[in-house]
Amino acid sequence: MMARDPDDRNPASKPRETEETDTTMATAQLEDELITTEVETGSTERAGRPDETVVATTGLTVHYGDDQALWDVDIEIPVHKVTAIIGPSGCGKSTFLRSINRMNDQIDGCRIGGELHFHGKNVYDEDVDPVALRRKIGMVFQKPNPFPKSIYDNVAYGLRVQGKDDEVDLDAAVEDALRGAALWDEVKDKLDESGLELSGGQQQRLCIARTIATDPEVLLMDEPTSALDPVAASKIEDLIDELVEEYTVVIVTHNMQQAARISDKTAVFLNGGELVEFDRTATIFENPADDRVEDYITGKFG
Amino acid sequence: MSTETEHDLFGDVDLKWEHAKNRLFLWVIFAASMFGVAMLALLLLDIGTDFYVGLTEFNISLTDFLTRDGSRREELSGFRGAIVASIMLMILTAVLAFFVGVGSAIYLEEYAPDNRVTRLIEANLANLAGVPSIVYGLLALAAVVNGIGTGPVLMAGAIALGLLVMSIIIVSSQEALRAVPDSVRNGSYATGATKWQTIRGVVLPAAIPGIMTGTILALARAIGETAPLLMVGAIFVNRMPSGPFDRFSGMPTQIYAWAAEPSPHFIHLAAIGIVVLLTFLFVMNGLAMYIRHRYETEI
């Protein structure tokens, strides 16, 4: 955040930084300024498009053993927009994200209740194969997790396991995906090198390239920048802004400024797994309906 | 601040005795760790002397030793039959134990649910690893040599050694699979891979150096095993085996047979045989170290 390109930071946003570090000093005037600045950076022309739901949940609950991690979540995630999920640690935001592509199925003792619809189909129905679901809903993790393979094989992996490597020109698909993840220029001369040789930020973009190579409809991102330095993080943010033209992006983030900058809609999870408010990002940051959300946004807790 | 006051500052702290204890302890544990090395050096020195004496005083030619089969006549005796038999044993043992061992490890690490049956299997594997090698020889004797009625053939020895190393291969393969981080597995699942695709495409390639290292070390242990081969009757043979269903004597059993002879010439043949066997062991251990070193930076 600090290292975000100095050119596009307008002077008005400067007080915001001091305010973040010392929230007790927040005055109404500063807060006003904070909010207007953030909403400006976050909103683009795509905010004007009508919302068409791609993922919707009704009464979604998740239990890990005896612990309930999500309480009756109802949400409608719009297509071709960035939906941010924010909230304090342990509020169930990653749990919610992982339940969209059924990655929670991998966890022993995890039980899911309620319904989660993808294009109107409940993905927890008996006849839905989670492997097929994950081919339509890709995921990028908090810690970059490239495979111990070459850069090329990392990107081609999804196409190969999905049996698409015969249908498409693999070299071209790999190049497209790497360009899509803004990594091509950095790695085009060393596609044979191990993906683990790259820097953390490059590894994360490699993971994004791996995910978009198979052209899923939805990209789930679980705090994709939290393990990265600010420069690498801002590159990922810029990338998300481009990716949303083609994909629906759902991003979990710890960083409220990031949510405000890049998202169209924001969901706030609080109280150990409750979706407290879900609305346009501008509304959430400017004029939240729930007092607890306002307290959280302004840094009074969490 | 003057140096004098600095000096006085710690004057009340006497650490002389504590430091002395520190040094004493260091020497004791250093001596303990050198004990094994010293013993190995003594052993090698002893073998080396016998090896040298055998070559010079008994005029044993290394070329003849390596190209002749065993014989009742000491001056005509060689090691070729035993070397070939041991190499065949290793190959058969590896084939028999590797796939079953790695398969079990994949099942236990990747598929097996955490229930009583799994825990029973794991406990039995730990027990198997502790079973004395002669018992595997007995098993092969009862089940293969006498049970199936093959007689004391090389395949029976390979089965005994295969059973012996299987538990070691399973445990080392399990460790190699466990060392593959879950984040990599999740990355594969999230790309829309099935469980088998994930294991084949990501987990096994990452674990294979560890699995290979464990397998080679297990085989290096098997090549020196004498008792199971004696049990299946690998003795009183000194020619090269023609195939897996021929009678045989491996390197350790040949050394054993020579060492039991009263003639000093045979004893020194045994010493040279030991050097050859140790060379095989060092080469296998070196190969395992090379593989581990070559691939350790990958993850």
Side-chain angles (χ1 to χ4, degrees):
Chain A
M1 170 69 208
M2 295 291 290
R4 232 173 124 69
D5 202 355
D7 302 335
D8 67 30
R9 186 198 291 159
N10 62 51
S13 69
K14 273 190 180 141
R16 173 177 94 195
E17 304 217 1
T18 26
E19 202 228 13
E20 275 163 39
T21 49
D22 192 358
T23 45
T24 50
M25 279 180 57
T27 63
Q29 193 240 332
L30 264 178
E31 215 160 71
D32 246 338
E33 206 169 81
L34 155 80
I35 286 157
T36 33
T37 324
E38 300 213 357
V39 170
E40 262 168 24
T41 36
S43 58
T44 60
E45 74 280 3
R46 67 175 184 265
R49 290 181 210 145
D51 285 356
E52 189 190 325
T53 304
V54 59
V55 172
T57 72
T58 43
L60 186 74
T61 60
V62 176
H63 287 81
Y64 295 124
D66 294 333
D67 299 327
Q68 185 157 2
L70 276 189
W71 302 78
D72 290 324
V73 172
D74 296 316
I75 196 169
E76 291 186 348
I77 292 170
V79 76
H80 288 307
K81 295 209 171 163
V82 179
T83 301
I85 299 173
I86 60 173
S89 297
C91 69
K93 40 189 199 308
S94 291
T95 297
F96 171 73
L97 197 73
R98 283 201 309 270
S99 62
I100 298 177
N101 66 343
R102 291 188 62 173
M103 282 300 281
N104 281 333
D105 291 18
Q106 305 291 329
I107 298 169
D108 283 341
C110 178
R111 284 174 295 121
I112 287 149
E115 295 190 347
L116 193 150
H117 294 274
F118 175 59
H119 289 301
K121 172 73 182 166
N122 181 12
V123 302
Y124 286 98
D125 279 349
E126 291 276 321
D127 60 341
V128 173
D129 185 340
V131 175
L133 176 72
R134 290 180 205 130
R135 293 181 178 191
K136 300 201 182 289
I137 303 181
M139 186 166 200
V140 177
F141 296 82
Q142 179 174 3
K143 198 169 152 266
N145 57 350
F147 303 134
K149 298 173 178 292
S150 71
I151 292 169
Y152 184 95
D153 287 342
N154 260 284
V155 182
Y157 182 81
L159 292 165
R160 285 183 175 140
V161 298
Q162 298 188 15
K164 291 178 182 166
D165 51 332
D166 296 332
E167 303 162 22
V168 298
D169 177 357
L170 205 54
D171 291 349
V174 167
E175 180 176 341
D176 280 353
L178 285 169
R179 281 189 193 283
L183 190 60
W184 174 252
D185 291 333
E186 291 158 64
V187 301
K188 64 181 177 214
D189 298 322
K190 49 176 184 179
L191 294 173
D192 290 337
E193 280 177 30
S194 169
L196 296 163
E197 306 280 318
L198 299 174
S199 73
Q202 288 175 323
Q203 287 190 5
Q204 193 62 298
R205 278 179 284 147
L206 179 63
C207 292
I208 292 174
R210 178 176 80 192
T211 308
I212 62 177
T214 57
D215 205 23
E217 290 179 42
V218 180
L219 288 182
L220 306 178
M221 297 187 164
D222 191 355
E223 300 188 35
T225 62
S226 66
L228 306 180
D229 66 79
V231 178
S234 88
K235 277 189 186 160
I236 304 272
E237 283 184 16
D238 295 345
L239 182 57
I240 290 169
D241 210 47
E242 288 165 28
L243 288 172
V244 77
E245 295 301 317
E246 277 184 71
Y247 306 96
T248 301
V249 178
V250 185
I251 178 170
V252 163
T253 175
H254 242 97
N255 180 331
M256 274 184 275
Q257 284 67 39
Q258 183 176 63
R261 275 195 299 273
I262 65 176
S263 73
D264 305 294
K265 298 196 87 169
T266 298
V268 186
F269 282 73
L270 296 172
N271 302 342
E274 191 191 336
L275 173 60
V276 176
E277 193 168 350
F278 177 54
D279 212 324
R280 287 175 51 242
T281 299
T283 314
I284 293 283
F285 283 88
E286 208 170 339
N287 189 18
D290 196 294
D291 289 344
R292 293 170 295 173
V293 172
E294 178 143 26
D295 288 350
Y296 177 66
I297 300 287
T298 52
K300 290 209 176 86
F301 83 99
Chain B
M1 209 182 276
S2 76
T3 39
E4 247 166 81
T5 41
E6 253 178 69
H7 191 75
D8 287 346
L9 194 57
F10 301 112
D12 57 336
V13 184
D14 183 12
L15 285 170
K16 217 176 259 172
W17 175 230
E18 291 300 325
H19 284 309
K21 276 199 285 190
N22 223 341
R23 274 195 300 276
L24 184 72
F25 183 67
L26 178 66
W27 276 108
V28 169
I29 55 173
F30 178 71
S33 63
M34 284 312 287
F35 181 76
V37 179
M39 285 299 127
L40 181 67
L42 271 179
L43 182 75
L44 289 178
L45 187 72
D46 183 46
I47 294 166
T49 331
D50 281 352
F51 178 74
Y52 180 74
V53 171
L55 289 188
T56 51
E57 281 182 35
F58 292 89
N59 283 323
I60 300 168
S61 146
L62 254 188
T63 331
D64 286 351
F65 184 79
L66 293 174
T67 51
R68 282 185 188 160
D69 284 349
S71 167
R72 285 312 305 158
R73 292 173 59 190
E74 54 193 26
E75 68 277 10
L76 292 180
S77 217
F79 210 41
R80 185 181 64 164
I83 294 174
V84 172
S86 274
I87 292 173
M88 284 170 70
L89 270 176
M90 281 310 94
I91 294 170
L92 282 174
T93 303
V95 171
L96 289 173
F98 183 77
F99 295 102
V100 181
V102 175
S104 317
I106 292 175
Y107 172 74
L108 288 170
E109 277 307 304
E110 305 290 329
Y111 286 96
D114 185 23
N115 60 20
R116 204 180 299 168
V117 179
T118 309
R119 280 195 292 276
L120 193 72
I121 297 175
E122 301 244 5
N124 272 308
L125 281 176
N127 285 335
L128 276 181
V131 169
S133 59
I134 198 163
V135 176
Y136 290 104
L138 264 175
L139 178 65
L141 175 69
V144 184
V145 178
N146 296 332
I148 303 177
T150 58
V153 297
L154 196 131
M155 184 54 107
I159 289 172
L161 293 181
L163 290 170
L164 173 74
V165 297
M166 197 179 299
S167 54
I168 308 174
I169 293 181
I170 293 174
V171 171
S172 60
S173 303
Q174 276 183 287
E175 275 164 21
L177 291 169
R178 222 173 289 149
V180 179
D182 267 345
S183 64
V184 170
R185 287 186 185 82
N186 285 334
S188 173
Y189 291 133
T191 320
T194 61
K195 187 145 197 162
W196 170 236
Q197 284 176 326
T198 299
I199 292 169
R200 218 195 70 98
V202 179
V203 179
L204 272 184
I208 211 74
I211 292 175
M212 291 306 295
T213 307
T215 304
I216 293 170
L217 290 177
L219 289 176
R221 181 185 161 192
I223 201 172
E225 279 291 340
T226 321
L229 298 186
L230 288 176
M231 283 315 290
V232 299
I235 198 155
F236 310 128
V237 179
N238 44 32
R239 59 186 166 74
M240 198 157 72
S242 61
F245 294 99
D246 199 1
R247 300 190 58 174
F248 74 107
S249 179
M251 284 194 270
T253 43
Q254 183 67 69
I255 291 166
Y256 176 81
W258 279 335
E261 295 279 342
S263 142
H265 191 106
F266 273 124
I267 307 264
H268 284 90
L269 282 174
I272 299 177
I274 289 171
V275 172
V276 175
L277 178 59
L278 281 180
T279 310
F280 269 84
L281 276 175
F282 288 145
V283 167
M284 288 170 89
N285 284 347
L287 189 65
M289 275 170 71
Y290 171 76
I291 293 177
R292 188 164 37 196
H293 181 75
R294 169 77 176 71
Y295 292 99
E296 73 185 346
T297 47
E298 288 288 302
I299 273 206

